[in-house]
Amino acid sequence: MTTHAPAATGLGRAGTPHYAVGSLVHARGREWVVLPGSTSELLVLRPLGGSADDVAGVLPALETVRPASFAPPSPDDIGDQSAARLLRSALRIGFRSSAGPFRSLAGISVEPRPYQLVPLLMALRQETVRLLIADDVGIGKTVESGLIAAELLAQGEARGLVVLCSPALAEQWRGELRGKFGIDAELVLASTIGRLERAQLYGRSVFRPDRNYVVSTDFIKSPRHRDDFVKNCPDLVIVDEAHTCVSDTTTGVGKRQRQLRYELLRRLADDPTRHLLLVTATPHSGKEEPFRNLLGLLDPKLESISLDRETGRKELARYLVQRRRADIRDDFRDDAIFPRDRESLEVSYALHEDYRKLVERVISYARETVRDSSGGLQQRIRWWSALALLRSLASSPLAAAQTLRTRAANLDAVSEEEADAIGRAAVMDAAGDETMESADAVPGALLTAPVPEDDKSLSDEDLSDADADGSEKSARRRLLAMARQAQALAGPKDAKLAQLTKTVKGLLKDGYNPIVFCRFIPTAEYVADHLNAVLNPKRGQKTHAVEAITGTLSPDQRIARIAALTAEDPDGNPPPPRRVLVATDCLSEGVNLQDSFDAVLHYDLAWNPTRHEQREGRVDRFGQRTDVVRAVTLYGADNGIDGIVLDVLLRKHARIRKATGVSVPVPDESDNVMQAVLEGLLLRGEGIQGDQLALDFGTDSGLTGQRDDLHAKWQSAADREKASRSRYAQHSVKKEDVAREVAEVRAALGSGEEVGEFTRAALLALRGQDGPLPGEPNGFTMSTEGLPLAVKDAFHTVLGPKHPRPVPFHDTPVAPRGEVALSRTDPAVAALAQFVLDAALDPKLPGWERPARRCGVVRTNAVKKRTTLLLVRYRFQLALPTRTGETRDQIAEDARLLAFRGSPAHPEWLSEEESAELLHARATGNTDPDRATAHADRIISGLDRINGALVARGTELAERLLDSHRRVRGAVGAARRGLKVTPQDRPDVLGVYVYLPDDDAETAAPAETTEGARR
């Protein structure tokens, strides 16, 4: 319901007036807005036009407080044609809470796409939010979960927030929360816990329910910290990569870790009042048990509910949103920023003859080791050592050399199961099991004490006779000989590196900036050094930026190195126009690289196609501006390994993805099939030569059957996943429904484009000097030396004393430190908007410091009859239902443009669209200052005559807001009980702008007197 709230509503104790929430009062020499929580004894006040940081408490018994009203504009203070547009933008940028159902959107810097609001709509229809957000890689799950968190915090439904994630992604999560949603969060990691604990009083927890945190899941799951965390955990939890936090009854190297994570989440989820958002692109790994465990975190009944029945699927649809890109393109075609296509290519190379000889020698050695009959445990250790050697040899000469000199990780295993678990973790690519912090380390193959690279105890003669006997010393000699042989193949004899160089140059020539993914650290460093040399042949002249990022760098160092690729050098020189990033899989998950890169080259084939999908998802994702991204797979036609991986795994994955639009994890049986295939390669007959290094499935019916069984199960899983995503894509939330709410938000807050236009226009009007920003057509630089002192001081405060000059203004939600993002929440933009608004209200300032004015008179051919545009600020008191059945009062503001033709006595009101068009009307002639003042005075003097119409428009707006809140909150129930929107009795008229027809005789007539105007 909607009613009107008067300024004062009777007397409280001791005869003090009781002021309505949202009313204006005068105290301490200025106007204030009365906020919720005020009583007749204590007023909680916010300065008119101020922010939450300026809130103060006033005791009416001790200080003078009286009702206030907003003064009308002065007809003597007239601005130019841009005055209205600048004032309106400054006012709207200053809003930090929307009157609509999405309270948080005024305080975030990202402009969400309509499809990203679907999970938010689902969340607002639940009393306690429990959602599994399982959209495809690259759709924007971080933004979707951040929107929900920001909204729950803004509405008061959540007091605090915690994000559980990998330690490698913690800094990125904190940056996303702060930069896009204005949420400051504390990092809780193994590296920060000591500092945090020292900052607390003895016995006090690091955690508080009303604070925000980003926490390493693997750190906090330990029993030492878990109980304290659960006891003091905030009431809103986001779990990133949630599929890694559930377990099943199978065994494996990661089972214990997954079990600990699951126990932690189970305890958090047991609190029925806790909001829980589970985020993952792969909720179903092909196993039903972990998937059901994941669903059980949302609601215990989902663990056993039948999903074969329509009732069960409908129940799950309340908790699960799972969309492919095709779903979004179909439903939100105009609002999805994705590449149109991903162009996938396979490029082969043939081994150099010397490299081929080394491969044959290594396979011969591996065959001997796995045929050894010295017991089951030793055989398993030797088996995994052989695979490690083959894996690194297919990667690069340097990776192979290091593997040959490194002790096998499972050499101290005490059981076959332990040996298999350690070996599998080192050699296979288990996606989504453990973090990939150490996944790029080179595995060892040495079954004896390590052999130093510069070991002088073995002469060249010893090495040449390395195959003389089967002793341990002979085995060491053989390994060191092969290591030196591998080392010698680096460079000209490495055909793989040569083909990479040719392919990278082709991508750069076509305008792409590629990421080259390698499996091992030595390979990545080797590739980066080579590319840097061949792409920048002239000393001192760097035409291409090349960097390597591996697990040897901390997460912060990785982010800094990525940023350095597109940053100026210390001398202020611009970055090279083209860039190449060489990385291991420490960057294949969770890190956003779409702003700087648009192609992926797989230098090493992953033995799990999900890893390939994760790599390509770094560039093929929401926000990528390149229309067609590229993915190039480099493989050896004759190295004995790549052909197997391609045939068994990668090509089948690509066919499924193309046919179904779904990327499905490979079934668990893939490891067994790969091992069987590799056993076939190692255990078959001698004399393998040339192209026979590749395994022929057609000659082995057993292997063919295993492969075909794997592919059949994989296809079946893909079909189920496609059907599942069709059921849970939330097609019932129509584009039109979401678009309606988005249109309301944009009408109230403006668009990102408006923020950019305002910032540039205001700074130019304040004597700034602009220039181009390289690489950003909608960005610019601004020299700030000529700005008013107050603006320069504000910029100095928010940007820091060493900020770049001129200042870069980026058309992005977030900007580098010391620079400005053209976003409503950027501190520099907010400070500029506040200055423009305050200056418009202060006629004592010099005229050039006041680009926006509250009054204007413009002669234009855009109107045929005198038309008046009003900038009106409305305040509303919102009564929002809570989960406890009570309501929570909040204050919101809205700015509207209202226009009428004729006089205030007989107004002919225009539509909202017609009113907004007046902002863009251009002056086509000059107006005599005296006549302009007379016209303005005539309208301002008659404002009382239209007050009833302004109040009526406020009532109409309140009804629309109420309807919007009801639509968003869904069906009748607790989520809507007690919902009210109450407009304040008298809105503020901030601006009056009169548009006179260019050819009207009235513009040339003598100015009327004020009394004549009133008549």
Side-chain angles (χ1 to χ4, degrees), residues 204-218:
R204 185 172 179 176
S205 172
V206 166
F207 299 99
R208 287 178 49 180
D210 58 349
R211 296 289 178 86
N212 306 316
Y213 304 92
V214 175
V215 181
S216 163
T217 310
D218 281 335

Side-chain angles (χ1 to χ4, degrees), residues 219 256 330 665 751 756 866 1010:
F219 168 74
R256 177 57 181 162
D330 291 344
S751 65
R866 185 183 64 196
T1010 301

Side-chain angles (χ1 to χ4, degrees), residues 85-320:
R85 189 162 62 250
L86 287 174
L87 184 59
R88 180 207 192 201
S89 295
L91 179 63
R92 301 209 297 181
I93 290 171
F95 288 158
R96 286 295 174 265
S97 59
S98 167
F102 304 126
R103 298 276 292 146
S104 63
L105 295 193
I108 65 176
S109 64
V110 64
E111 190 169 333
R113 297 288 160 174
Y115 77 85
Q116 292 175 322
L117 294 176
V118 170
L120 176 57
L121 286 168
M122 294 173 63
L124 294 181
R125 293 172 181 177
Q126 298 179 343
E127 292 189 19
T128 299
V129 178
R130 295 287 175 102
L131 282 182
L132 173 55
I133 303 176
D135 287 339
D136 258 349
V137 171
I139 282 179
K141 293 183 292 297
T142 301
V143 171
E144 292 171 344
S145 54
L147 286 170
I148 296 173
E151 188 62 30
L152 292 178
L153 291 169
Q155 291 192 11
E157 286 294 337
R159 297 172 58 205
L161 162 70
V162 63
V163 176
L164 296 174
C165 65
S166 157
L169 300 179
E171 186 59 56
Q172 178 173 311
W173 262 103
R174 182 168 73 163
E176 292 276 305
L177 290 174
R178 176 187 295 160
K180 293 181 178 178
F181 303 101
I183 300 173
D184 286 317
E186 187 74 64
L187 281 182
V188 182
L189 310 171
S191 59
T192 67
I193 189 64
R195 171 180 58 82
L196 296 174
E197 288 178 337
R198 288 192 296 272
Q200 305 301 318
L201 296 175
Y202 179 76
R204 185 172 179 176
S205 172
V206 166
F207 299 99
R208 287 178 49 180
D210 58 349
R211 296 289 178 86
N212 306 316
Y213 304 92
V214 175
V215 181
S216 163
T217 310
D218 281 335
F219 168 74
I220 208 64
K221 74 180 187 300
S222 68
R224 177 188 172 191
H225 300 287
R226 181 182 58 203
D227 293 344
D228 174 61
F229 172 65
V230 171
K231 180 180 178 182
N232 298 284
C233 181
D235 51 4
L236 170 56
V237 177
I238 298 175
V239 184
D240 191 27
E241 303 298 339
H243 62 280
T244 67
C245 300
V246 289
S247 187
D248 54 33
T249 54
T250 60
T251 60
V253 68
K255 175 179 172 57
R256 177 57 181 162
Q257 302 304 315
R258 293 194 302 271
Q259 187 65 36
L260 286 172
R261 296 184 201 129
Y262 179 65
E263 290 172 1
L264 170 66
L265 294 193
R266 182 70 272 169
R267 291 181 62 181
L268 293 175
D270 283 343
D271 181 350
T273 67
R274 176 167 282 120
H275 304 294
L276 183 63
L277 301 178
L278 305 178
V279 181
T280 173
T282 53
H284 203 307
S285 64
K287 294 182 180 180
E288 188 68 11
E289 184 182 357
F291 177 63
R292 289 294 187 153
N293 286 341
L294 193 66
L295 297 183
L297 295 172
L298 304 172
D299 190 324
K301 68 175 177 289
L302 295 177
E303 282 195 76
S304 57
I305 196 171
S306 174
L307 299 180
D308 295 328
R309 297 180 178 179
E310 185 64 21
T311 54
R313 294 194 291 268
K314 283 185 176 180
E315 180 64 19
L316 178 57
R318 295 177 52 229
Y319 300 90
L320 171 61

Side-chain angles (χ1 to χ4, degrees), residues 554-817:
S554 69
D556 287 347
Q557 290 173 321
R558 298 171 201 173
I559 293 172
R561 189 164 291 189
I562 293 170
L565 283 168
T566 57
E568 295 180 345
D569 66 18
D571 296 327
N573 299 314
R578 287 280 167 252
R579 66 199 73 95
V580 180
L581 177 63
V582 183
T584 62
D585 285 311
C586 70
L587 282 188
S588 71
E589 192 171 18
V591 181
N592 299 329
L593 300 171
Q594 71 273 20
D595 291 336
S596 303
F597 301 94
D598 47 18
V600 164
L601 194 154
H602 303 284
Y603 189 72
D604 292 330
L605 303 187
W607 287 12
N608 189 320
T610 300
R611 190 71 63 85
H612 272 231
E613 188 67 25
Q614 290 168 339
R615 292 172 176 179
E616 294 171 15
R618 296 311 95 212
V619 300
D620 187 7
R621 62 191 300 109
F622 171 74
Q624 174 61 259
R625 299 292 177 176
T626 300
D627 192 40
V628 177
V629 297
R630 282 192 188 172
V632 182
T633 300
L634 189 63
Y635 72 96
D638 55 355
N639 72 1
I641 302 297
D642 286 356
I644 295 172
V645 177
L646 278 171
D647 186 82
V648 176
L649 300 175
L650 300 182
R651 287 172 180 157
K652 179 61 177 178
H653 178 266
R655 287 195 295 270
I656 288 176
R657 183 178 178 276
K658 183 176 180 179
T660 66
V662 175
S663 181
V664 181
V666 61
D668 285 348
E669 290 88 343
S670 66
D671 278 5
N672 298 330
V673 175
M674 281 295 297
Q675 290 183 48
V677 171
L678 292 168
E679 282 182 22
L681 174 69
L682 295 178
L683 298 181
R684 60 186 173 161
E686 305 289 347
I688 304 300
Q689 300 291 334
D691 293 337
Q692 289 179 302
L693 284 173
L695 191 64
D696 182 3
F697 280 93
T699 62
D700 192 322
S701 59
L703 292 179
T704 301
Q706 283 186 285
R707 180 198 62 185
D708 292 346
D709 286 346
L710 171 68
H711 286 181
K713 291 181 179 179
W714 202 351
Q715 185 64 54
S716 176
D719 293 339
R720 290 196 305 271
E721 186 74 0
K722 182 179 180 181
S724 171
R725 297 204 179 203
S726 177
R727 294 187 189 108
Y728 305 116
Q730 301 298 332
H731 291 300
S732 60
V733 182
K734 300 299 182 185
K735 173 184 178 180
E736 295 75 18
D737 298 335
V738 179
R740 182 176 182 180
E741 308 305 333
V742 172
E744 292 286 344
V745 170
R746 289 177 176 167
L749 302 178
S751 65
E753 182 180 356
E754 179 184 339
V755 174
E757 291 175 351
F758 162 80
T759 305
R760 191 169 199 159
L763 289 172
L764 289 174
L766 292 169
R767 299 182 179 176
Q769 296 181 344
D770 65 341
L773 184 61
E776 291 191 37
N778 295 323
F780 56 88
T781 62
M782 187 69 64
S783 174
T784 60
E785 296 306 314
L787 297 178
L789 181 61
V791 179
K792 287 196 293 186
D793 286 347
F795 279 16
H796 182 84
T797 300
V798 300
L799 300 180
K802 297 183 179 180
H803 68 267
R805 293 173 174 82
V807 178
F809 286 75
H810 299 272
D811 185 27
T812 56
V814 182
R817 186 184 300 273

